[in-house]
Amino acid sequence: MTQHLPTETPPTATMVPMEETARRIYLMNDLPPEVVAVAFAKTSRSPEPFDQIAAELTESASAQFHEKWVVGYGHASVAEHAILSLAVENISILAAKAIEDNRLASYTEKSTRYQIYDPKRVYRPTDIMAHPGLRDSYEKLITRLLETYIAWSERALEYLKYRHPLESGKSERLWESRLRAQACDSIRYLLPTATLTNLGWTVNARALAHAIRKLGGSPLPELREIAGELNAAARTRVPTLLKYCDPDLARSESGEAVRTLLASRLKSPSRIEEEAGPEVAILRHDADAVLRLVCGLAYPQQGGDWDALEDEVRSWPGDEHLRVIQTSVANLGPFDPLPRAFEHVNLLVEITVDYGAWRDIQRHRIGTQTAQELTPDLGYTIPPLVEELGLRGEFINLLAESAAVHDRIRPEFPHEAVYPLMLAFRKRSLFGWNLREVFHFVRLRGTSKGHAAYRRVAIELWRQTCRCYPWAAELLHPLGEDFRA
């Protein structure tokens, strides 16, 4: 029997006026974050436009919604629509790194490259200040480090001006700015982690609640205080979404329990009391990277399951595999990311680098980071400019004094002992990165405009990546086509 299609719209259908189906893209301006979160959440149940939903909401009604669904039923994803931009000022460099350990947020920190830090702006831990013997050692070191930092900054700038005089016709302002950045890049190694900095932080309410709980459970008093102040400031905008931000004590207690359990089983290595540069080691990598990658690229182009696809791709000759990879990157511009399929290839990387450079590397949060505590045990980096200025001996003396104050504080206050350590001391971290993120990191940090320390890390990381995957050297060029591993 032939089935005839209806020639008229069924009575149950509603004809939507054309103007109501026109595309609309707009900002939800001037609304409290909790109201925005409810407006977005209600779209799953309401056919009305977002702005109409929002117009019918009050802060009180929004709070009731969050009280029921977010707090009561645990629908925490709704809180991700409430966005806050927080100004966090006068926190230690150490605390800034603890905040930035939270992945799902955006940060902009006061630069040690483009600004001279105020020597008066230093964090003074309450416990150390209340201890007469430790207070004097701490204050003496901090004062000496920052006075030296100011003096050497000007000395380095004058030296660089002498070595690189202004060329005729060039901008004096840009010339001085470039040389000041070079000076700051080197002299920042004198700064202790107690130096105060500022941080701009844009984050959703769900991630902020996690960060507050994490900071609140820290053994460091500064971080616990910051957690309380963050909660107080943010709750003026999202009072319901931050209703329960109890300190996450389980995290720190579990860490301490593991530390105690392993204390007698793991030997601490001897302290390295000498200069050492960045070290990079790829500890593990996927041996079947090409197969994974080709399957990842082919997967959305066909309808079979992974196992069937893998069996098929495995039978192809090697040059066919490389042809697929090459085709996938052939049209990429200099700022385009690699296809997402490259995330199926994983590497485990260990990086040991001075704390100043580590601060920049830590910003690459797409992946898994596991960092060791900063100590004076892994040696230190001496910037070449310090050598050129003839200040190596004095720099080493300052490092020794910084380590000595750390050692003096540690038995009494093991967590606060990090504050007097200079940024020149090295830190070791483990990074679980995929190949797409490695490519991004190398391309961003390997440029000639980058800091020398993390640039060396990026270049060495790519060299080792190409040793693991020789095909990458031929097909991928984060450092330019002229670079040869």
Side-chain angles (χ1 to χ4, degrees):
M1 176 183 287
T2 303
Q3 184 177 8
H4 296 282
L5 297 175
T7 57
E8 296 181 351
T9 303
T12 55
T14 301
M15 295 298 291
V16 180
M18 180 66 71
E19 63 271 14
E20 291 188 20
T21 64
R23 182 182 298 111
R24 299 177 68 215
I25 300 175
Y26 52 96
L27 295 172
M28 301 288 281
N29 284 328
D30 304 321
L31 292 171
E34 289 200 351
V35 172
V36 173
V38 174
F40 286 162
K42 279 182 172 288
T43 194
S44 65
R45 300 290 190 272
S46 171
E48 303 300 331
F50 289 118
D51 51 357
Q52 186 173 326
I53 296 172
E56 298 169 357
L57 293 172
T58 63
E59 291 190 63
S60 174
S62 299
Q64 292 175 14
F65 178 94
H66 292 310
E67 188 77 44
K68 178 178 180 181
W69 296 105
V70 180
V71 178
Y73 287 94
H75 294 296
S77 62
V78 172
E80 293 179 17
H81 293 300
I83 308 297
L84 299 98
S85 290
L86 294 154
V88 185
E89 299 178 352
N90 296 325
I91 61 172
S92 71
I93 286 176
L94 188 70
K97 290 296 101 182
I99 290 175
E100 291 174 16
D101 189 52
N102 294 281
R103 282 183 278 199
L104 304 180
S106 299
Y107 307 97
T108 301
E109 187 180 345
K110 180 178 177 180
S111 175
T112 55
R113 190 178 204 190
Y114 299 109
Q115 296 189 55
I116 300 294
Y117 275 55
D118 186 342
K120 300 184 185 67
R121 298 178 66 230
V122 180
Y123 180 68
R124 292 174 167 83
T126 303
D127 289 340
I128 295 176
M129 292 298 102
H131 192 292
L134 298 180
R135 179 187 63 229
D136 294 343
S137 297
Y138 187 85
E139 288 284 9
K140 180 181 177 182
L141 171 69
I142 296 296
T143 300
R144 185 179 176 198
L145 286 177
L146 290 168
E147 286 180 351
T148 304
Y149 165 77
I150 295 297
W152 287 14
S153 295
E154 291 306 313
R155 184 169 173 176
L157 180 59
E158 292 306 312
Y159 171 78
L160 289 171
K161 287 181 177 180
Y162 170 76
R163 285 289 306 272
H164 307 283
L166 177 63
E167 297 178 19
S168 177
K170 298 292 185 179
S171 166
E172 182 175 358
R173 183 179 63 84
L174 292 177
W175 168 73
E176 182 160 341
S177 176
R178 178 173 56 83
L179 295 184
R180 187 174 292 280
Q182 290 181 30
C184 288
D185 266 353
S186 296
I187 307 307
R188 73 176 186 177
Y189 282 72
L190 288 163
L191 293 173
T193 67
T195 306
L196 295 183
T197 188
N198 297 336
L199 182 70
W201 183 9
T202 299
V203 62
N204 67 59
R206 184 183 192 181
L208 179 59
H210 170 74
I212 290 172
R213 295 194 67 235
K214 183 176 169 183
L215 294 168
S218 170
L220 270 177
E222 182 190 14
L223 299 188
R224 296 197 299 271
E225 292 165 7
I226 288 172
E229 291 169 22
L230 283 171
N231 200 356
R235 286 188 68 177
T236 62
R237 296 287 284 163
V238 286
T240 314
L241 296 178
L242 296 182
K243 187 170 184 178
Y244 298 114
C245 286
D246 297 334
D248 183 1
L249 299 177
R251 179 189 301 268
S252 56
E253 289 172 354
S254 297
E256 189 58 39
V258 172
R259 185 196 304 265
T260 301
L261 175 66
L262 299 178
S264 61
R265 304 185 185 191
L266 299 178
K267 292 183 179 179
S268 298
S270 300
R271 175 173 293 182
I272 301 172
E273 296 184 356
E274 58 186 28
E275 183 181 3
E279 296 177 20
V280 180
I282 295 181
L283 307 177
R284 302 283 186 277
H285 66 279
D286 291 335
D288 59 347
V290 171
L291 182 63
R292 281 180 182 234
L293 180 52
V294 174
C295 287
L297 291 166
Y299 191 82
Q301 313 304 329
Q302 50 85 59
D305 61 29
W306 179 274
D307 287 340
L309 175 63
E310 188 176 275
D311 288 342
E312 171 64 24
V313 170
R314 196 187 300 274
S315 68
W316 298 351
D319 58 349
E320 187 67 16
H321 293 157
L322 297 184
R323 183 182 174 192
V324 173
I325 298 172
Q326 185 174 33
T327 301
S328 76
V329 299
N331 295 322
L332 297 183
F335 303 108
D336 294 329
L338 292 179
R340 201 158 196 174
F342 281 77
E343 294 182 12
H344 294 299
V345 179
N346 299 294
L347 302 96
L348 185 63
V349 183
E350 185 178 70
I351 298 174
T352 307
V353 69
D354 65 80
Y355 190 79
W358 176 83
R359 292 167 63 242
D360 294 302
I361 296 172
Q362 187 229 18
R363 292 175 176 271
H364 293 262
R365 298 182 301 277
I366 302 300
T368 300
Q369 297 185 23
T370 307
Q372 294 179 354
E373 184 180 85
L374 178 65
T375 73
D377 296 341
L378 297 178
Y380 48 80
T381 295
I382 300 179
L385 184 56
V386 169
E387 298 267 13
E388 291 183 42
L389 291 169
L391 298 171
R392 177 185 176 89
E394 188 173 348
F395 191 83
I396 290 175
N397 289 338
L398 290 168
L399 286 162
E401 187 175 340
S402 176
V405 174
H406 165 275
D407 294 345
R408 211 168 294 145
I409 294 172
R410 188 170 177 80
E412 289 283 338
F413 307 111
H415 302 291
E416 288 89 338
V418 183
Y419 286 113
L421 290 178
M422 293 162 55
L423 302 190
F425 285 109
R426 300 198 310 162
K427 182 181 176 77
R428 182 182 287 133
S429 298
L430 206 58
F431 295 85
W433 280 338
N434 61 62
L435 186 54
R436 191 181 193 222
E437 177 62 12
V438 167
F439 182 91
H440 167 71
F441 171 79
V442 172
R443 182 164 61 178
L444 181 66
R445 299 300 180 182
T447 173
S448 59
K449 295 181 180 179
H451 189 281
Y454 65 60
R455 186 169 183 243
R456 287 172 62 186
V457 169
I459 291 172
E460 180 58 24
L461 174 58
W462 190 244
R463 283 199 181 102
Q464 293 193 31
T465 300
C466 291
R467 284 200 285 271
C468 295
Y469 307 130
W471 52 269
E474 300 301 321
L475 302 181
L476 310 176
H477 306 288
L479 298 172
E481 294 190 16
D482 294 334
F483 179 82
R484 289 293 176 264

